[in-house]
Amino acid sequence: MTADELHVVVEATDDGVVLIRVRGTLDGWSGPSGLVEALDEAAGSGGRLTVADLSGLEFADSAALHALLNAQHRHAEAGVPLVLAGPLGTGVRRLFEVSGTSGVFTFADTVDAALTC
C-alpha cells in the first residue's frame, strides 16, 4: 500500500457490530468508494452498531467528509448508531472542527471505547 492509497477492511462480530478499519488517504484523488460501499452495507445490515476506525487515516478532505456525512444520514435512517473511532490525526480532527460538523458525529477515542457507545 502506498501512502496515498485507501485501504478499507470490514469485520463483523457475532454481537451485531460492524467494524470498518480505514487506512491511508481519503480524498478526491483516492476516491472514497470503498468506504462508501462498506458504510452502505453496514447501515443496511441490521446490525446494532457500526464503528469506523479512522485511527489509520493519514489525510482526509471534503470528499471524506461528504462520504461520512452521507453515511451518518443513512445510519440514522436505519436506526443504527455510527461511531467514529480514533485516535484521530491532527489533520483529520481539524477537518471536522473547521467544517463545523463535529457535533453531527459520535466520536470515541479508541475502538474499544466505541464498542461501549
Side-chain angles (χ1 to χ4, degrees):
M1 179 172 87
T2 62
D4 60 350
E5 198 174 326
L6 178 65
H7 188 66
V8 178
V9 175
V10 180
E11 304 169 28
T13 67
D14 291 336
D15 62 346
V17 175
V18 177
L19 174 59
I20 302 170
R21 297 186 187 273
V22 185
R23 303 286 180 263
T25 299
L26 183 55
D27 59 16
W29 292 106
S30 63
S33 63
L35 178 59
V36 169
E37 290 171 14
L39 289 165
D40 281 348
E41 288 180 26
S45 72
R48 70 171 183 87
L49 174 67
T50 300
V51 176
D53 175 8
L54 305 182
S55 63
L57 200 55
E58 298 167 12
F59 176 80
D61 70 1
S62 61
L65 184 60
H66 182 73
L68 291 168
L69 286 167
N70 283 338
Q72 176 62 32
H73 180 72
R74 286 188 302 279
H75 276 76
E77 286 180 339
V80 178
L82 172 63
V83 179
L84 307 183
L88 299 179
T90 303
V92 175
R93 184 176 57 251
R94 186 89 175 118
L95 175 67
F96 295 108
E97 293 169 355
V98 169
S99 65
T101 58
S102 293
V104 173
F105 299 99
T106 300
F107 292 93
D109 291 335
T110 65
V111 170
D112 287 341
L115 296 174
T116 64
C117 289

